[in-house]
Amino acid sequence: MFTQKFKLFRLFGFSIEADATWILLAVLVTWSLATGLFPHYFEGFSAQIYWTLALLGAAGLFLSIILHELGHSLVARHFGLHIKSITLFVFGGVADMEDEPSSAKAELLMALAGPATSIALSLGFFGAAFAVGRGENISPLQGLLRYLAGLNGLLAAFNLLPAFPLDGGRVLRAALWAWRGNLRWATRFAAGIGGAFGIVLIALGVLSLLSGNVIGGFWWILIGMFMRSASQSSYRHLLIRRALEGESLRRFMRTDVVTVPRYLSLRALVDEYVYKYHFKMFPVVEEDTVLGCVSTRNIRLVDREAWDRTPVSEIMERTCESNSISPNEDPMLALSRMSQTGNSRLLVLEGDKLAGIITLKDILSFLSLKMDLEDDEQMLE
């Protein structure tokens, strides 16, 4: 889903992050508010006031999204689910949850917490706007408060649509799960509705384009494509999670690991290891202690003419969270780490000792075999 994320701050113990696409949304929202919405609904102010209101309105939008996702996250924490982060991106925000809810009740309450937060914010902003002034002449502050009130109302209404993975779709999944007792079937049904809703949004976007509303049509199409993709990926993610449930990384771990010494030249590394074993990453080990790893990505940063005089130790990456994992961790964490870093191989470490290597290819091969041989209804009930 995400491209590159950067951390903003922490709130109630949750890491608040932003995807790079969030910058695009921030610019578009500020521009549209300053040149379109505020001048249309609140006439008579200067351009400077409109741009000031737009900046405050954009900040209010993102704060509202964070609080909406925070509502989900606090309820998830109450039910013992770990939320790694809350991320802002071009289509809003998402709480990164490591596991599925344990029951339909937990799913229902988590799903409703976000819209309930948005409704509370909407009422709060409406009350503040009413308290600021009741006359016919609207002040800039009243205009801003009215915008934020309406925005949170729309945020709650849109998220309550029964299209998975929107909150309303999760409410639908919770109801179906409670009815049939089958999470997989409930997810597939709700995801199907989410995909169909995405197609409807795409069609509306095309009609908007044909009617001359280029920007609006473009956004409807993008949101529809995102909805369709998100619903399908959510179902696939559930299949993968349940297929790996209860499995240990040791099942996938390779113990016959090819290691390299730190003093080896890059020329020898390429000729004697990369071209021979066809691996993109090798652990760097000295006297049974793992120093780090070296990859073809590191090698490419060095001029070929310097390969003969450059040892592995100069370019290797020290062991860290992005390139290593404990053998006791969940395989889903390994997949998540590989997805976020682009590393297809991770060092499996017990302390500073190398226990093995875990590769994306081995995990995917296992998933393919398990889903082919076992009844996925049994895996997911």
Side-chain angles (χ1 to χ4, degrees):
M1 181 182 295
F2 302 118
T3 53
Q4 183 178 355
K5 298 195 295 183
F6 51 92
K7 292 184 179 181
L8 299 177
F9 52 88
R10 294 189 68 83
L11 185 63
F12 293 102
F14 301 108
S15 175
I16 310 299
E17 302 177 353
D19 182 69
T21 58
W22 172 73
I23 300 174
L24 172 64
L25 180 61
V27 172
L28 288 175
V29 167
T30 304
W31 174 77
S32 63
L33 290 177
T35 61
L37 189 143
F38 284 144
H40 177 74
Y41 286 101
F42 312 119
E43 299 179 354
F45 301 132
S46 66
Q48 182 179 1
I49 290 179
Y50 286 133
W51 278 101
T52 301
L53 290 175
L55 289 171
L56 293 174
L61 166 63
F62 297 122
L63 178 60
S64 298
I65 293 173
I66 289 172
L67 293 176
H68 178 102
E69 296 301 328
L70 187 64
H72 293 307
S73 302
L74 290 173
V75 176
R77 176 188 285 173
H78 173 75
F79 284 101
L81 294 169
H82 178 60
I83 302 295
K84 293 188 290 186
S85 63
I86 295 174
T87 304
L88 298 170
F89 68 113
V90 70
F91 295 114
V94 63
D96 188 3
M97 188 167 57
E98 286 190 345
D99 202 356
E100 295 290 340
S102 57
S103 66
K105 176 184 177 181
E107 170 80 320
L108 176 65
L109 294 178
M110 285 171 52
L112 291 175
T117 302
S118 295
I119 291 172
L121 287 172
S122 179
L123 294 174
F125 282 122
F126 265 125
F130 183 77
V132 167
R134 305 182 187 88
E136 294 184 1
N137 296 325
I138 298 175
S139 67
L141 179 57
Q142 279 181 288
L144 176 63
L145 292 172
R146 288 188 181 186
Y147 161 73
L148 292 175
L151 170 72
N152 279 279
L154 287 174
L155 187 62
F158 181 77
N159 274 280
L160 283 174
L161 291 172
F164 193 82
L166 293 178
D167 298 332
R170 292 189 175 275
V171 170
L172 174 63
R173 182 173 78 157
L176 295 172
W177 184 6
W179 175 42
R180 292 282 293 269
N182 188 318
L183 177 59
R184 173 189 177 272
W185 176 83
T187 304
R188 182 173 62 184
F189 189 94
I193 293 180
F197 182 69
I199 293 176
V200 171
L201 291 180
I202 292 172
L204 290 175
V206 172
L207 291 176
S208 295
L209 287 175
L210 294 176
S211 65
N213 184 7
V214 177
I215 296 178
F218 177 72
W219 274 108
W220 280 120
I221 291 173
L222 282 181
I223 294 172
M225 292 173 63
F226 167 76
M227 282 292 303
R228 184 165 174 78
S229 174
S231 61
Q232 294 172 345
S233 64
S234 295
Y235 180 60
R236 287 195 301 268
H237 189 265
L238 177 67
L239 289 176
I240 293 171
R241 182 183 295 279
R242 290 306 173 92
L244 292 176
E245 193 172 49
E247 300 292 347
S248 169
L249 274 180
R250 296 183 187 276
R251 177 183 285 273
F252 318 107
M253 185 177 71
R254 295 190 178 191
T255 56
D256 54 338
V257 184
V258 179
T259 64
V260 300
R262 63 182 178 83
Y263 56 77
L264 190 72
S265 71
L266 298 191
R267 180 72 64 186
L269 172 64
V270 171
D271 292 340
E272 299 173 18
Y273 288 86
V274 176
Y275 291 157
K276 179 179 179 179
Y277 297 103
H278 308 153
F279 299 150
K280 292 186 176 182
M281 187 268 279
F282 295 88
V284 181
V285 178
E286 185 176 74
E287 298 180 356
D288 295 330
T289 299
V290 181
L291 303 178
C293 62
V294 61
S295 67
T296 53
R297 183 168 52 192
N298 305 130
I299 298 172
R300 286 198 303 266
L301 299 176
V302 182
D303 291 335
R304 286 178 175 269
E305 296 178 356
W307 282 5
D308 288 310
R309 61 179 184 273
T310 304
V312 165
S313 58
E314 286 193 14
I315 67 165
M316 72 177 186
E317 299 176 17
R318 295 289 180 179
T319 54
C320 60
E321 188 176 274
S322 64
N323 58 32
S324 64
I325 194 168
S326 166
N328 302 316
E329 292 287 2
D330 188 333
M332 284 299 298
L333 177 60
L335 284 176
S336 175
R337 195 163 292 178
M338 289 175 179
S339 175
Q340 292 174 1
T341 63
N343 295 327
S344 60
R345 297 165 67 86
L346 296 177
L347 305 175
V348 183
L349 302 181
E350 291 183 301
D352 59 355
K353 305 299 181 183
L354 182 66
I357 288 282
I358 185 77
T359 72
L360 178 61
K361 180 180 178 181
D362 289 338
I363 296 178
L364 294 181
S365 295
F366 172 83
L367 283 171
S368 177
L369 289 171
K370 187 166 185 178
M371 290 182 178
D372 184 50
L373 293 174
E374 298 188 20
D375 183 357
D376 56 10
E377 289 285 353
Q378 292 180 339
M379 285 193 298
L380 294 171
E381 286 184 352

